[in-house]
């Protein structure tokens, strides 16, 4: 998410959050280091146990703030 403006203790986001955000969740803002560039993963196998379906964590994203990255020969079993 990108902040459109910051004024005092109010932050206006450039677009709506894709999830519910409540004060009871104790939301916190974190700044990230510069984006990762030119990194990748190859020849990776992920083996998972069979469990009940789960929902992703609120706000979870994959490859956030990554540019010019790749994934090759990645398999999930």
């Amino acid at each position: 998410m990108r902040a459109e403006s910051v004024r005092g203790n109010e932050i206006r986001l450039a677009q709506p959050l894709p999830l519910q955000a409540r004060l009871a969740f104790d939301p916190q803002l974190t700044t990230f280091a510069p984006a990762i560039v030119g990194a990748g993963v190859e020849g990776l196998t992920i083996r998972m146990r069979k469990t009940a379906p789960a929902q992703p964590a609120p706000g979870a994203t994959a490859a956030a703030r990554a540019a010019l990255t790749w994934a090759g020969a990645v398999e999930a079993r």
Side-chain angles (χ1 to χ4, degrees):
M1 289 284 134
R2 186 175 63 81
E4 186 173 284
S5 65
V6 178
R7 184 176 299 139
N9 64 353
E10 181 180 301
I11 298 171
R12 184 174 301 259
L13 300 175
Q15 65 267 359
L17 289 173
L19 50 94
Q20 289 186 356
R22 298 179 183 166
L23 291 177
F25 296 160
D26 190 26
Q28 298 181 16
L29 294 177
T30 303
T31 58
F32 293 97
I36 297 170
V37 178
V41 174
E42 295 180 12
L44 173 68
T45 299
I46 302 169
R47 289 188 175 92
M48 298 173 279
R49 293 188 313 242
K50 194 169 194 170
T51 61
Q55 297 296 319
T61 59
R65 299 187 52 82
L68 303 173
T69 60
W70 70 93
V74 175
E75 178 181 340
R77 295 182 185 180

